[in-house]
Each structure stands twice: as structure tokens, then as C-alpha cells.
Amino acid sequence: MSTTSFPGVLPAPAQSARLRDALLAADFTADGLLDLLGAPAYAALARSETVPAMRATRGDSPLETLVRLFLLQRTVSRDRARAVLPLEEVLGDGWVVEDGDGVRATVDIRPYGGPENQDWFIVSDLGCAVGGAGGASGRDEAMVLGVGGASTTLAGITVRTPAATALDVGTGSGIQALHVAQHASRVTATDLNPRALVFTRLTLALSGAPDADLREGSLFEPVASETYDLIVSNPPFVISPGARLTYRDGGMGGDDLCRSLVQQSGDRLNVGGFAQFLANWQHVEGEDWQERVRSWVPSGCDAWIVQREVQDVTQYAELWLRDSGDHRTTPEEYAARYDAWLDEFESRGTKAVGFGWITLRKSGSDRPSVVVEEWPHPVEQPLGEAVRTHFERQDYLRSRDDAALLADAFVLAAEVTQEQVGPPGAEDPEHVVLRQNRGMRRATKVDHVGAGFAGVCDGTLSAGRILDAIAQLMGEDPVLLRDRTPGAIRLLVEEGFLDPVPAPVTGA
């Protein structure tokens, strides 16, 4: 596909500081937009529906002018533009161009609220602010998308501990590099699309963030054997028949791109470092999907793989045909492309496609922890801290045999509640459920011993002493209870219901 729909010369970041000041002075921020547009129009704009926002910006205030210029891509008069922008500078840098008696934007500038209420701006191609929402026909293979649901998901699950070096693979408009720049001393960002590297530089400059080391190339090719404390990637993971669209189609067969990205990341991680990805994987006839994705984990790495959604091949094909605007072509063209997707899946024995998160940590352990699970339920973002503590708990459990586990003390995690389930009026519940109200928001059934154990874990008594007390109350053999309970304690620790206390308790 040609790239003639895009301006030949992209903006330069030279005057980005003055442009940023002008945007902030007009309250062109996430909060300012919400106040101006109202919740319905604001939400509609996030779905690439512009009519409500057009109706809300009929005045001539500075904020309305900027919304019409940069978000609605309407031509505004030179006088209105000059009243709110350093017009000659932004014309000179190419952020806007002359259009008759007015000016129009060359890029979409989208206000974005940072995790500590920073006012950031994500720069993308016109009409591409929200990936997958617009279904715009004629999408160009070289276009650069703005912020979509996948982008914010990855940003939310990323571990935010300080890092000396970080790498964003397939940076796109630069949202992950922008986040990482807040806690990494040196950021490298790569992309196969040179246009994306320009947009990343614009996003960083307009957001007041340090520049990144930008390199062109596929996957890890631009960084060779360099290693990092953190690697993040929202890759072009769509499993498609061909590579029509650079922003989403990886150009490798099936889920090979995601597999290659995960497998190759092990050699690029420093010990203790994290690599975090969004990915798609095939559900192949006669093959366990968990074993398929488990096989991707490189040696020396722990892993936590969470499948968030599964679509059958027809749902999957229809989703991405809409994304590319193919549903707006002729019925014959649409049917041919749909058929090509199904041919691709049939040739690979693919019956469904899973979507989820993959986190690796370079532990160097000869007994790696690899947890693969399905969790389609709501979670509380951001989850970065929950991801970090997941691996801390794996380290803890790996270092404790059953005797050491029973010698330790535990505390019930914050905001865990207990539910008793059974017929109304029954003397005893059929079962007890422990439920998290933070993080992954898990729920797990426990027996009476497990419920009683969790209920008294306040860090003052060792697990062994608590079990001995429970055995006495229930008239059970304490030795047998100690023998059969460590597995249940391990599960409660692994899933975050119990936290080990910092110092071990003696006298178990």
C-alpha cells in the first residue's frame, strides 16, 4: 500500500517545549478534555467517534481550538491558531501546515495522563489515535497508532522498579518508552518502521521526557547482544495470512513472532531483570495450549503467563478484518480475505487464538518457576507491583521445604475477605471462599482448616504452632495435620492470599 495519505515530512521536536507550554496553558490535558467534552463525548472520542466532540467544541476558546485542530483534524483559522499556539514555530517544525486561509494538523496529539498525574502527549498519525477502534478503511502499512487498550494494559502490568537500562521493542508511538523513561536511567527503543521512531521522539519531546536511543530494525536485531534490566514489547502479534499492515502483522507464520520474541529475550536480560510482553498464541488441535506457550520460556528464566481471552478462529478473523476496514470493501473482497484467514488457520490446525500477558524474570535458577494460567476475570490495574511480588513469592517458596515453611509466620494479605457459602440457616457452610479485593482479585475455596489458619495469620505465630492449635481444637492428630497442610499453605502464598513475614519466627 502507498503512504501518500501521510505527510512526506514529519514534524521536528525543535520547538516542542514551546508547543507543550501552549498546550498546557490552554488546559489541553486529559482532565481538561473531560471537563470540556463531558463523559459521553470523551468516551466516544476514545472510540474514534467524533460527532459528540464536534458538537461540544463549537465555541472559540483556546481548548476548543486545539481539540478541533489536533483531535478532530479540522482546519482552523490562522487567527484562532495564532491566539493559542506559537504559530510560526509550529509551522516551521511541521506540526501544522497551511490550508487555504487556515491551518491543519499533520499529526494527532492526544493528551494522556501519566501514573503520577503527569500531563503527557502521545503523537500518532491522523485518524490512528486508538488502535482497533476505528476500523478505518485504507489503513496504510506504515502508519503509527496512538494509545489503545493493549498499550494501556502493558503499561499497567509493567514492573516499575528503578532500572539502569530498559528496552522497548516495537515502540510505535512511544507510549511504553515514555513510561519506562520515568524509572530507567537509559532507554533504548526499536522499531522496524522508521516512521515509528520519529513519532517516539515527538512523543518524548512533547511530554517533557528525556530522549531515548532510537534504533531501526526487527525484534532484537538493532541491539545485537546488549543486555537490559527491563524489556517491554507490545509487538505486532496478530496471527494473519500475510503481513499487510506493519503495525499489527508480524510477518512470521502463526505465532512465531511472539515465540521468537519470548525465546530471544532470555539472552538480553540481566540477572534479576524482567521482560514483559503482550502476545497471541495458537490453540492447535491435539495440543495443550499451556504446554505450547510454556515451551517458549528461555532457560534461566522464571515466567508468569496469563491467558486473558480466547476467540475461535471466526471471531478472531472478523475482529481483525474490521480493524483493517475490510468490512467496508465489496462483499466479494471481504469474503476472499475472510476465506484466506480461515485457510491459514486450517493449514496450521488452529482452532482458536489466545491473548494474554507474558512476564519473564531472569533468575538463573536451575529450578525455574513457570506458572501458566487462564484468568479472564476483572483485575485491578496497575498490576506492576503485583507482578513483582508474584516472583518474590516464587523465590520464597523455592527456598523453603515443608519444615522451613511451617517454621515461618505469615500475615493475611490486605483486603482479603471471607465468604461462607451454604443453604440459609445451615449450621455449617458447604465451603468457605477467600476473595482478594485488590490486584488479580482471585477467589479460592478453602476447607475449615484453611479458613481457620488464614484467619489467625497475623505474623506472631509460626505456621506450625497455628496448626497445632487447630489440631487441638478439632481433635485431630497434629502430626498428620502438619503433614497434609503445607501444600495448601503454598497455594495461598503463591496466589497472594498470605504473605510471609520479613523475619522467621523461632521455636516452631
Side-chain angles (χ1 to χ4, degrees):
M1 300 177 68
S2 72
T3 59
T4 55
S5 60
F6 296 116
V9 179
L10 286 167
Q15 301 295 331
S16 58
R18 291 199 64 190
L19 176 55
R20 173 179 172 80
D21 288 344
L23 299 179
L24 294 177
D27 203 19
F28 188 64
T29 64
D31 289 341
L33 286 183
L34 182 58
D35 289 341
L36 171 69
L37 301 179
Y42 186 85
L45 190 59
R47 301 190 300 269
S48 295
E49 295 290 348
T50 60
V51 173
M54 286 288 295
R55 293 173 60 87
T57 55
R58 292 168 172 170
D60 59 359
S61 71
L63 180 54
E64 288 168 296
T65 298
L66 292 176
V67 171
R68 293 180 71 83
L69 181 63
F70 288 117
L71 299 185
L72 303 178
Q73 286 92 54
R74 296 299 191 270
T75 298
V76 303
S77 71
R78 293 176 66 92
D79 288 342
R80 288 183 66 181
R82 183 174 285 108
V84 67
L85 293 171
L87 186 57
E88 302 311 318
E89 287 89 342
V90 295
L91 277 168
D93 276 359
W95 295 95
V96 301
V97 294
E98 295 181 345
D99 185 18
D101 294 332
V103 296
R104 58 180 174 82
T106 60
V107 291
D108 183 295
I109 299 177
R110 185 89 19 165
Y112 178 80
E116 298 179 1
N117 298 314
Q118 302 100 320
D119 290 316
W120 290 343
F121 300 96
I122 310 300
V123 186
S124 64
D125 272 312
L126 297 174
C128 300
V130 181
S137 60
R139 282 187 164 180
D140 195 289
E141 62 179 8
M143 71 179 183
V144 178
L145 298 185
V147 180
S151 304
T152 54
T153 294
L154 179 58
I157 68 172
T158 300
V159 175
R160 298 296 175 192
T161 52
T165 56
L167 172 65
D168 177 13
V169 180
T171 187
S173 61
I175 180 175
Q176 307 305 329
L178 179 57
H179 275 280
V180 169
Q182 310 308 303
H183 60 97
S185 301
R186 181 167 60 85
V187 178
T188 301
T190 71
D191 205 290
L192 182 64
N193 181 3
R195 187 180 185 84
L197 300 178
V198 176
F199 277 96
T200 294
R201 177 165 283 118
L202 296 174
T203 289
L204 294 172
L206 197 57
S207 299
D211 200 4
D213 178 5
L214 305 177
R215 306 185 192 181
E216 181 182 344
S218 177
L219 299 183
F220 294 107
E221 291 175 1
V223 300
S225 59
E226 295 175 37
T227 58
Y228 300 87
D229 299 318
L230 174 66
I231 299 172
V232 294
S233 182
N234 176 17
F237 52 66
V238 177
I239 300 171
S240 62
R244 293 173 55 212
L245 301 172
T246 303
Y247 76 90
R248 70 167 203 194
D249 303 320
M252 298 185 186
D255 50 21
D256 284 353
L257 182 136
C258 291
R259 176 185 56 80
S260 298
L261 183 63
V262 174
Q263 289 181 335
Q264 294 174 21
S265 64
D267 292 335
R268 273 80 177 186
L269 275 179
N270 296 324
V271 174
F274 289 90
Q276 299 187 261
F277 316 102
L278 302 185
N280 275 184
W281 44 78
Q282 298 171 114
H283 286 224
V284 177
E285 194 73 42
E287 181 180 4
D288 185 331
W289 74 265
Q290 293 192 354
E291 291 305 313
R292 179 183 188 86
V293 185
R294 188 187 298 270
S295 71
W296 296 358
V297 178
S299 62
C301 288
D302 296 338
W304 185 17
I305 300 168
V306 182
Q307 180 168 272
R308 296 287 288 158
E309 184 180 0
V310 181
Q311 291 184 320
D312 67 45
V313 293
T314 59
Q315 293 172 312
Y316 190 82
E318 290 162 14
L319 169 67
W320 294 108
L321 286 167
R322 287 194 303 271
D323 172 83
S324 59
D326 288 318
H327 62 307
R328 297 178 178 173
T329 60
T330 66
E332 293 77 17
E333 289 176 307
Y334 178 78
R337 285 179 176 166
Y338 199 152
D339 208 35
W341 282 74
L342 297 185
D343 282 345
E344 173 77 7
F345 288 133
E346 184 177 354
S347 69
R348 296 180 179 277
T350 303
K351 58 182 181 179
V353 177
F355 167 82
W357 320 324
I358 297 177
T359 299
L360 307 178
R361 188 193 54 166
K362 187 71 169 285
S363 65
S365 173
D366 58 359
R367 293 188 297 129
S369 164
V370 179
V371 176
V372 185
E373 62 176 322
E374 186 165 11
W375 191 253
H377 311 295
V379 300
E380 182 191 45
Q381 286 277 32
L383 269 174
E385 182 62 13
V387 172
R388 185 188 67 80
T389 56
H390 166 89
F391 288 95
E392 283 189 349
R393 292 194 298 271
Q394 298 303 319
D395 282 343
Y396 168 80
L397 292 171
R398 187 162 42 203
S399 70
R400 296 295 197 275
D401 60 17
D402 286 354
L405 188 76
L406 294 179
D408 285 345
F410 301 89
V411 294
L412 191 66
E415 297 194 40
V416 172
T417 57
Q418 176 179 302
E419 301 173 2
Q420 297 189 164
V421 181
E427 186 173 335
D428 294 313
E430 290 183 356
H431 60 265
V432 176
V433 175
L434 298 181
R435 186 177 301 278
Q436 299 169 349
N437 292 296
R438 303 296 302 273
M440 292 292 288
R441 294 178 171 166
R442 297 185 187 276
T444 187
K445 290 182 182 180
V446 292
D447 60 16
H448 294 288
V449 172
F453 180 87
V456 297
C457 279
D458 60 3
T460 61
L461 292 175
S462 70
R465 285 187 170 181
I466 293 174
L467 290 178
D468 290 344
I470 291 174
Q472 185 175 4
L473 287 172
M474 299 181 65
E476 290 199 29
D477 185 332
V479 175
L480 294 178
L481 190 61
R482 280 178 174 246
D483 283 345
R484 68 178 173 86
T485 307
I489 296 175
R490 288 183 182 278
L491 181 62
L492 291 175
V493 172
E494 180 176 322
E495 294 191 341
F497 290 94
L498 293 177
D499 295 323
V501 297
V505 174
T506 60

